[in-house]
Amino acid sequence: MSSAIENLGRETRRYEPSPEFAAQANVGPEVFGEAADAVAFWERQAARLDWAEPWHSAHTWEPASPGDDGELSIPRAEWFAGGRLNAAVNCVDRHVAAGDGDRVALHFEGEPGDRETITYADLQRRVARAANALTALGVGKGDRVVVYLPVLPETVVITLAIARVGAIHSLVFGGFSAAALRFRVEDTGAKLLVTSDGQFRRGAAVPVKAQADAAVAGDNAIEHVLVVRRTGELTPDIPWTPGRDVWWHDVVDTAASTHEPEFFDAETPLFIIYTSGTTGRPKGVVHTTGGYLTQAAWSHWALFDAKPDDVYWCTADLAWVTAHTYVLYGPLANGTTSVIYEGTPNTPSSGRHFEIIERYGVTTYYTAPTLIRTFMSWFPEGLAAAGDWDLSSIRLLGTVGEAINPEVWVWFRDQLGAGRAPVVDTWWQSESGAAIVAPLPGVTALKPGSATVAVPGVTVRVVDEHGEDVPRGSGGSIVIDGTWPAMSRTVWGDPERYRDSYWRPFADRGYFFAGDGAAIDDDGYLWLLGRLDDVINVSGHRLSTIEIESALVAHPSVAEAAVVGVGDATTGQAVAAFVIPAGDAARAPGRAPEAGELRDQVARAIGAIAKPRHIVIVDDLPKTRSGKIMRRLLVDLFDGRPLGDTTSLQDETVPSRIAATLAGEV
């Protein structure tokens, strides 16, 4: 049986770049020719950074190759080896030295409404203090520091300070459980944990320190716990271990505001970021400094058309790779002004994001498709009918996290982008470090729902199980052919897992296996079809969940949908669709769309083979804070299996509400 994924949906709408946008764009069509020699291209982009010493080897690559015993070797890549640089200097100091110290680096908005504006000169002083404090706490080159904080200025400061002293940071989402945090503390062998007394979640001050203490209890390498005072008297009962625990305001705010940086080889590890771990043990993916910073800075500048007067907002939590590349390192390396927001998008009201866009004059807004779908459900009549927010500052939109449904893409462009802003739909992963497939906003014609084509300097293919390119109009596995500067170098402490997870499946071709499905259309555009694990096999037909979800969302009575495969004695698997109604249907459960009507919708859009057997009307879906729908939880709920750890969810009550619906409870 072929492993090809059937590509049954069709999208014919096409949006060319406006002449006005193309005329001012940072990157023109000539860039693809310039990137024909990928190594030379990336060397030119590396020169955009400040290097204390030049590199002696632009790129070396030792692929996974069979040895005399037939076993594959561990692959090994280097970019710009011998070159020495400091990531924090490139993100902060060089802008101050260039006379841009008064430029705003960060507009911070806390969930309770507190605000702070931080210039690059301010940021330089704060990072210097934090670097001096780290040194005083015994943290230096190669040490690991775990950061368990919400989206705060201190999170940005400590991350840059860790990089400045040559240590390795691992940021952990502040909503993760003590068990998830403990695993990361122990797996990295961290010397320092940075956390807070509490954090604000959905309008409430929630204690955090006790969870952090539980995570560092037992056998680990932690010497100190550095604590940011965020909630103060609102969470008064702070457990404290004298000699180990130290307050940020005691050791960071009192430190000297100048720091002499050291410079490190380009291949010095910069951070460890853990994959979600929804199945099996999380992988600690390692990124190094020079190649990662090169591609982060260039891709932010090129894909988001970054200008000196932009106000850029990527809504990702700082613990996710999206924020590592497109909040921290990319924008700061380019001297961009960014917005960071601590809270949830509906605290205290569902228009909070639009208020923030208006307040700061956000020009570039980069978010997750699931949030856009949520906006559609909150504002079924459109934004103009719901409020008088001024969104006219927006000139470019972006999406990340999972494939975006075409109708959602169009709504996003029309409602937030006034029908004119290009939508930069990006596909990439923790392992890739930077966007791999995405349009150039002044060059690429856009198709709703397609991430378009590979970025310059990277080669992407869609292949069958043998590694052969699939015909256009077909689907298969998306792979990256060869290497790229921001690629992860290994899995922390487990190089064999790195080889086996990413390079073994197509080792004979030298392809990086991403684990996602994609289709390629007649124009060579890529359409992401979700994780290969999420592909549904119905009577031998391998169907993409994304396509079925898009067909459902195109129905006017559907705000959002998640599709999974569940066991079926006849067909092997059956399609189960969990649907959130839109508009009046959402407000009146009796008016929810009829199952037969939705099945007909899918049959018209895709074909009868894709019609859902089960349709479950729900009021919400289980989503992570990063915006991904946790489809595995829906399968477990449908089958009545235990769910395991759900602490990464935006709302931990959602699974129980869905379970009640499945059980027929009111």
Side-chain angles (χ1 to χ4, degrees):
M1 182 189 300
S2 171
S3 66
I5 303 171
E6 298 189 31
N7 178 222
L8 303 174
R10 292 291 181 267
E11 175 58 55
T12 58
R13 288 168 289 188
R14 185 182 178 100
Y15 300 83
E16 299 288 343
S18 71
E20 296 79 13
F21 196 101
Q24 61 81 60
N26 288 345
V27 176
E30 68 282 350
V31 70
F32 288 101
E34 294 169 355
D37 182 337
V39 173
F41 172 77
W42 289 119
E43 281 197 276
R44 290 192 294 274
Q45 309 321 320
R48 299 177 69 248
L49 304 177
D50 282 1
W51 296 79
E53 295 179 25
W55 54 89
H56 57 65
S57 300
H59 178 48
T60 58
W61 172 233
E62 299 171 11
S65 304
D68 293 339
D69 59 357
E71 184 53 272
L72 287 176
S73 62
I74 303 296
R76 182 172 177 269
E78 288 186 342
W79 284 87
F80 315 121
R84 299 180 71 80
L85 77 169
N86 185 293
V89 168
N90 273 280
C91 290
V92 185
D93 301 55
R94 68 172 178 153
H95 306 311
V96 179
D100 291 325
D102 291 338
R103 179 181 294 169
V104 174
L106 300 170
H107 291 296
F108 166 72
E109 175 130 351
E111 189 180 86
D114 52 320
R115 297 168 195 154
E116 190 174 5
T117 292
I118 302 168
T119 67
Y120 275 92
D122 293 334
L123 188 59
Q124 183 184 44
R125 288 186 288 268
R126 295 187 190 201
V127 172
R129 290 190 182 101
N132 287 321
L134 289 172
T135 301
L137 292 172
V139 174
K141 182 182 178 183
D143 290 331
R144 277 79 65 202
V145 179
V146 170
V147 179
Y148 183 57
L149 288 172
V151 177
L152 299 173
E154 289 87 349
T155 315
V156 177
V157 167
I158 198 64
T159 301
L160 292 170
I162 294 163
R164 190 179 186 91
V165 301
I168 305 167
H169 58 76
S170 185
L171 274 61
V172 180
F173 170 52
F176 271 179
S177 66
L181 178 60
R182 182 187 303 115
F183 172 81
R184 288 151 175 80
V185 165
E186 294 176 355
D187 193 61
T188 59
K191 180 182 280 190
L192 174 69
L193 172 66
V194 187
T195 189
S196 59
D197 55 351
Q199 59 183 258
F200 291 99
R201 293 184 195 161
R202 300 186 181 278
V206 180
V208 171
K209 179 62 164 51
Q211 273 189 238
D213 282 1
V216 299
D219 187 15
N220 56 64
I222 291 291
E223 295 178 1
H224 290 97
V225 177
L226 177 60
V227 186
V228 174
R229 191 175 190 268
R230 174 57 180 151
T231 50
E233 295 177 359
L234 298 176
T235 54
D237 299 321
I238 303 301
W240 202 259
T241 302
R244 184 197 69 182
D245 297 351
V246 290
W247 283 109
W248 179 284
H249 53 264
D250 286 339
V251 298
V252 176
D253 292 346
T254 61
S257 61
T258 60
H259 178 270
E260 191 64 30
E262 184 180 348
F263 297 92
F264 306 100
D265 187 273
E267 284 298 313
T268 301
L270 180 62
F271 65 87
I272 303 167
I273 189 161
Y274 283 83
T275 57
S276 62
T278 54
T279 55
R281 184 173 181 264
K283 297 188 288 287
V285 175
V286 179
H287 286 281
T288 57
T289 306
Y292 170 80
L293 193 60
T294 292
Q295 196 164 349
W298 179 83
S299 60
H300 172 259
W301 175 81
L303 301 180
F304 297 100
D305 195 50
K307 299 288 197 284
D309 58 351
D310 271 336
V311 179
Y312 165 88
W313 185 14
C314 170
T315 67
D317 188 277
L318 294 175
W320 308 130
V321 74
T322 301
H324 283 57
T325 304
Y326 296 121
V327 176
L328 293 166
Y329 290 108
L332 291 174
N334 289 321
T336 300
T337 296
S338 290
V339 171
I340 58 173
Y341 169 54
E342 176 187 26
T344 51
N346 59 344
T347 303
S349 69
S350 53
R352 185 68 183 270
H353 272 220
F354 311 130
E355 294 169 2
I356 292 172
I357 290 170
E358 180 178 23
R359 181 174 300 120
Y360 300 107
V362 170
T363 60
T364 304
Y365 180 70
Y366 186 37
T367 195
T370 190
L371 180 58
I372 305 166
R373 292 192 294 263
T374 300
F375 287 153
M376 292 174 68
S377 68
W378 289 346
F379 306 106
E381 306 303 323
L383 298 183
D388 58 355
W389 307 290
D390 182 0
L391 308 181
S392 61
S393 60
I394 290 177
R395 69 180 192 90
L396 187 145
L397 299 166
T399 68
V400 63
E402 58 183 13
I404 185 169
N405 317 107
E407 296 306 324
V408 176
W409 189 103
V410 172
W411 188 94
F412 191 38
R413 180 179 184 270
D414 288 348
Q415 296 292 322
L416 275 83
R420 54 174 172 76
V423 178
V424 177
D425 179 18
T426 60
W427 174 79
W428 56 298
Q429 301 175 316
S430 297
E431 295 85 350
S432 73
I436 297 298
V437 179
L440 297 176
V443 177
T444 314
L446 306 176
K447 297 183 181 182
S450 172
T452 70
V453 297
V455 302
V458 180
T459 300
V460 167
R461 299 180 182 280
V462 181
V463 301
D464 63 19
E465 67 270 31
H466 305 296
E468 298 287 346
D469 292 339
V470 301
R472 292 195 173 185
S474 301
S477 298
I478 186 170
V479 298
I480 305 172
D481 185 353
T483 67
W484 62 101
M487 63 184 280
S488 58
R489 300 298 195 262
T490 190
V491 169
W492 181 259
D494 197 347
E496 290 80 10
R497 193 176 184 195
Y498 174 73
R499 173 199 62 201
D500 295 343
S501 296
Y502 305 118
W503 298 99
R504 182 180 291 278
F506 297 106
D508 59 328
R509 306 278 183 144
Y511 295 164
F512 176 91
F513 176 67
D516 279 353
I520 185 166
D521 70 14
D522 292 338
D523 296 323
Y525 278 43
L526 294 162
W527 299 79
L528 274 298
L529 302 177
R531 298 297 295 172
L532 291 170
D533 292 342
D534 289 336
V535 170
I536 303 173
N537 194 325
V538 179
S539 299
H541 297 270
R542 288 170 53 82
L543 306 175
S544 159
T545 59
I546 299 297
E547 284 195 308
I548 303 172
E549 289 168 5
S550 294
L552 290 165
V553 171
H555 190 284
S557 296
V558 175
E560 193 164 5
V563 168
V564 296
V566 296
D568 185 271
T570 304
T571 59
Q573 280 190 308
V575 176
F578 293 76
V579 173
I580 300 176
D584 292 338
R587 290 185 285 272
R591 298 182 63 183
E594 294 289 339
E597 188 180 337
L598 295 182
R599 291 189 180 100
D600 290 344
Q601 167 78 11
V602 173
R604 285 192 300 270
I606 299 176
I609 190 64
K611 288 197 299 186
R613 174 159 304 173
H614 310 282
I615 293 178
V616 185
I617 305 298
V618 296
D619 64 356
D620 204 350
L621 294 167
K623 302 167 190 169
T624 67
R625 180 72 180 273
S626 65
K628 292 185 179 180
I629 298 170
M630 296 184 73
R631 292 173 180 82
R632 69 165 180 91
L633 293 184
L634 295 173
V635 177
D636 291 342
L637 285 164
F638 192 92
D639 292 341
R641 290 193 294 265
L643 301 184
D645 186 4
T646 60
T647 53
S648 64
L649 291 174
Q650 284 181 12
D651 183 348
E652 290 187 57
T653 68
V654 169
S656 62
R657 299 205 304 270
I658 295 175
T661 299
L662 288 167
E665 297 179 10
V666 178

